[in-house]
Amino acid sequence: MSASRRSGTTDELGPGEPERDGSDLLAALLDGMDAALCAFDADGVVTHWNREAERILGWTAAEAVGRQGFAGWAVRSADAEEVQGRLMSAMESPGRQVHEFALLTKEGGRVLVRTQSAAVRGPDGKPAGVYCAFSEVHAQIDLERSIALSEALFEDASWGVVLVDADLRPAVVNAYAARALGIGRSAVLGRPLGDLLPQGVEELESALTHVLAEGAPPAPAEMWVSVRTGEGEKRRCWRSGFLRLSSPLAEEPVPLGVGWLFQDITEAKQAEQEAALLRFRANQLHRAARAAAECEDPAEAATLHLDFALAGFADHALIDRVADGSAADGEGRVRLVRAAETPSGAPGPSTLSGQAGLPARYAEGHPALQCVARSGSVRAGAGDVGPEEARAWAQARQWPPDAVHALCTVLRSRGRTLGVVTFLRGAGRSRFERPDAVYGEDVAVRIAAALDLADASGAAEEA
């Protein structure tokens, strides 16, 4: 227990309460401090010495209290006068003074400490002594580093940092995270995550709940979420790490919340996905070319190219040929005949059709006719409509009823238009984008070459 000089004064107590020495309460408070503390009276005599001071230096309170300064026991004799002068100078200075110097342990070792000292004033307002709080320099530096790290994370970090409380509501948010969420830092605090993220919040809340219960996961997790922006909702991919926060003051670990750190990797993830898609499509083109090379019938080779193109690209596909075999540029409106198509009911290989030569019942402005007229690709879609309206849209264009997105690509060979290949996607897929049109054009080049070869072979046989 820490010792102190007892002045004989007592606290004022209520009626019927036993008197209690106020110094007992003071001693208990001093012993409960995490910092080492000692005090000197106006003559430099040690009056207080707590348990943390005993732990650091080894001198007990009984050995320390009553000594004149640190000379001869807690500091080297050569340094005693300077150390004592610096400590006692706090009596004449306003505020706190910070010093660093070496103290001696009871075993004779040296400990570098950082001290904060300030004057203790008596009832008359005059300096009556000095109190000195000290800690080992490395411990103080560790504390300062921790504080500096926290401040840097919440101000200048190049990734998002969010402290989420036990109710899964943001308690502290740094500038990066606020920008990523598209809302001000103060506006985020205390709000349910569902108010901040239109999509992806279930996965995030599940991860936070797991961390609170089980602890941090062994590796970061990649999560796709949607955030609100001025241009509407945008999907973002956040690589997230989680840390369970527990109170250092509790006897047993008590979760205070979760530290959520994340970085927006949307661009890198999209580039990675696009590269993987390009590799897959290039591999499909290669495999289709190898398989088509083994076909004796060029028309069969054309359907092989169509089947290989469908994997991961479209749900249905069909080939429409120009009724007279080919059309020259600027020829005007042409008739199209269905030459091949994939089954619309169940998956299966493309089948050749159109032997009867009956023209497709395409209305004016049909995407396939536009494709022939432009000699280029045409994209079309049903738009944001209900299932019945989408079905009517597809049937009006002579397509399978589940089609909602279409890509029509012209079949060109030797400067002539041979027809159109149409790729169709259902409601479960996204619309065709420009990279999809480029891939469709690559497939169309191979199909057109095979059809042109089939025409040439048929003409040679007739001759």
Side-chain angles (χ1 to χ4, degrees):
M1 181 176 184
S2 66
S4 63
R5 286 188 174 181
R6 302 179 182 268
S7 61
T9 61
T10 60
D11 297 333
E12 288 189 2
L13 304 175
E17 293 182 9
E19 286 193 346
R20 182 178 59 187
D21 194 336
S23 60
D24 290 339
L25 176 60
L26 175 60
L29 292 174
L30 294 180
D31 279 343
M33 295 179 62
D34 292 331
L37 186 138
C38 64
F40 304 88
D41 63 14
D43 297 324
V45 176
V46 177
T47 60
H48 296 80
W49 189 266
N50 73 348
R51 286 189 183 276
E52 184 65 12
E54 178 181 342
R55 185 193 68 79
I56 293 176
L57 297 180
W59 301 97
T60 66
E63 294 170 321
V65 173
R67 289 180 178 265
Q68 180 71 39
F70 285 155
W73 61 289
V75 283
R76 296 189 310 171
S77 301
D79 302 330
E81 183 177 352
E82 178 188 359
V83 170
Q84 191 72 6
R86 290 163 68 180
L87 288 176
M88 300 306 294
S89 66
M91 292 181 59
E92 309 299 331
S93 303
R96 293 178 299 173
Q97 291 188 348
V98 178
H99 302 287
E100 288 185 7
F101 43 73
L103 296 181
L104 294 179
T105 66
K106 188 175 182 180
E107 289 74 22
R110 300 183 69 193
V111 178
L112 184 63
V113 299
R114 178 174 295 176
T115 66
Q116 295 186 33
S117 54
V120 177
R121 301 191 180 277
D124 56 359
K126 295 181 179 180
V130 173
Y131 81 83
C132 172
F134 63 92
S135 61
E136 297 176 80
V137 167
H138 70 81
Q140 183 71 20
I141 291 176
D142 288 344
L143 175 62
E144 291 179 2
R145 285 173 177 162
S146 298
I147 295 173
L149 175 61
S150 298
E151 292 180 349
L153 285 175
F154 287 109
E155 295 297 334
D156 306 321
S158 58
W159 56 86
V161 181
V162 181
L163 294 190
V164 182
D165 63 22
D167 295 326
L168 305 187
R169 295 173 183 254
V172 185
V173 178
N174 76 342
Y176 182 106
R179 289 194 302 270
L181 292 167
I183 192 170
R185 292 178 68 176
S186 58
V188 177
L189 306 183
R191 296 180 60 179
L193 293 172
D195 292 350
L196 307 175
L197 301 173
Q199 295 181 16
V201 67
E202 295 84 0
E203 183 182 4
L204 176 58
E205 288 184 340
S206 176
L208 294 172
T209 303
H210 172 80
V211 173
L212 281 172
E214 305 293 337
E222 294 178 358
M223 297 183 177
W224 283 94
V225 300
S226 291
V227 296
R228 296 183 180 92
T229 67
E231 296 79 26
E233 294 183 4
K234 289 189 175 181
R235 279 179 57 77
R236 312 300 296 172
C237 183
W238 292 343
R239 178 173 290 149
S240 302
F242 302 94
L243 299 169
R244 182 167 63 177
L245 306 179
S246 300
S247 172
L249 304 180
E251 294 183 4
E252 296 182 0
V254 177
L256 297 177
V258 177
W260 171 31
L261 292 81
F262 68 91
Q263 193 167 33
D264 193 321
I265 59 169
T266 307
E267 285 74 17
K269 198 66 179 177
Q270 288 175 341
E272 178 183 324
Q273 292 175 345
E274 290 171 2
L277 183 60
L278 286 175
R279 288 194 299 270
F280 174 75
R281 289 179 175 177
N283 187 48
Q284 286 297 97
L285 291 174
H286 174 73
R287 292 176 62 199
R290 293 285 301 271
E294 302 300 323
C295 294
E296 295 183 5
D297 182 2
E300 182 185 352
T303 61
L304 270 176
H305 281 291
L306 197 64
D307 292 335
F308 274 95
L310 282 181
F313 182 65
D315 298 314
H316 306 291
L318 49 92
I319 298 174
D320 293 321
R321 290 293 309 272
V322 175
D324 298 327
S326 64
D329 294 342
E331 187 172 312
R333 181 179 173 83
V334 298
R335 294 183 305 160
L336 296 176
V337 177
R338 183 66 46 82
E341 60 186 333
T342 55
S344 60
S350 304
T351 58
L352 294 170
S353 59
Q355 285 81 2
L358 297 177
R361 294 179 293 108
Y362 288 158
E364 187 71 28
H366 191 281
L369 297 177
Q370 295 181 38
C371 179
V372 172
R374 298 177 185 178
S375 293
S377 298
V378 174
R379 286 176 281 169
D384 297 327
V385 297
E388 293 302 322
E389 292 85 350
R391 179 181 295 270
W393 175 86
Q395 290 176 340
R397 287 156 181 78
Q398 310 300 312
W399 291 334
D402 59 341
V404 295
H405 306 294
L407 170 65
C408 297
T409 304
V410 68
L411 298 172
R412 298 274 296 177
S413 179
R414 294 190 293 169
R416 299 169 302 137
T417 297
L418 304 183
V420 178
V421 57
T422 301
F423 299 100
L424 300 168
R425 288 178 176 174
R429 293 178 179 265
S430 61
R431 65 181 184 178
F432 289 97
E433 301 292 350
R434 180 56 192 162
D436 298 322
V438 172
Y439 178 63
E441 290 165 0
D442 285 343
V443 176
V445 168
R446 289 162 170 77
I447 293 176
L451 293 177
D452 196 11
L453 179 59
D455 293 343
S457 299
E461 291 177 0
E462 293 177 1

